[in-house]
């Protein structure tokens, strides 16, 4: 019994960099959709959820990856 998941990845910085990264990952055998979002903007997050559900269907699993903090010195 095999379960499959559709994966969505978000980015905030350069779309070109995100697309290059996605293509590199595709070459390694990974498939996923990417969407832009500024996670510091509540309304942008709500719009992202609506867009993902509209285009791909219900979200069953959400993984929140906090990322990297760069402290000023």
């Amino acid at each position: 019994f095999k379960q499959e998941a559709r994966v969505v990845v978000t980015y905030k910085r350069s779309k070109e960099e995100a697309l290059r990264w996605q293509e590199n990952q595709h070459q390694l055998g990974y498939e996923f959709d990417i969407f832009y979002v500024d996670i510091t903007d509540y309304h942008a997050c709500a719009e992202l959820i609506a867009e993902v559900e509209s285009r791909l269907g219900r979200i069953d699993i959400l993984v929140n990856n906090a990322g990297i903090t760069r402290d000023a010195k």
Side-chain angles (χ1 to χ4, degrees):
F1 167 59
K2 180 180 176 183
Q3 291 182 316
E4 294 184 18
R6 183 150 194 186
V7 176
V8 172
V9 175
T10 62
Y11 68 96
K12 182 181 176 192
R13 296 183 183 168
S14 166
K15 181 176 183 176
E16 293 77 23
E17 287 180 31
L19 291 172
R20 263 195 311 275
W21 178 75
Q22 182 185 33
E23 179 56 31
N24 288 340
Q25 295 302 303
H26 173 74
Q27 296 298 321
L28 296 172
Y30 301 107
E31 294 293 328
F32 50 85
D33 297 283
I34 62 171
F35 291 85
Y36 172 85
V37 68
D38 177 355
I39 62 165
T40 66
D41 180 339
Y42 175 85
H43 296 290
C45 292
E47 289 172 2
L48 170 70
I49 291 168
E51 182 179 1
V52 169
E53 288 180 330
S54 172
R55 289 177 53 186
L56 305 176
R58 187 179 86 188
I59 298 171
D60 293 318
I61 301 169
L62 173 67
V63 177
N64 181 16
N65 182 357
I68 299 170
T69 299
R70 295 187 180 124
D71 295 325
K73 292 188 180 198

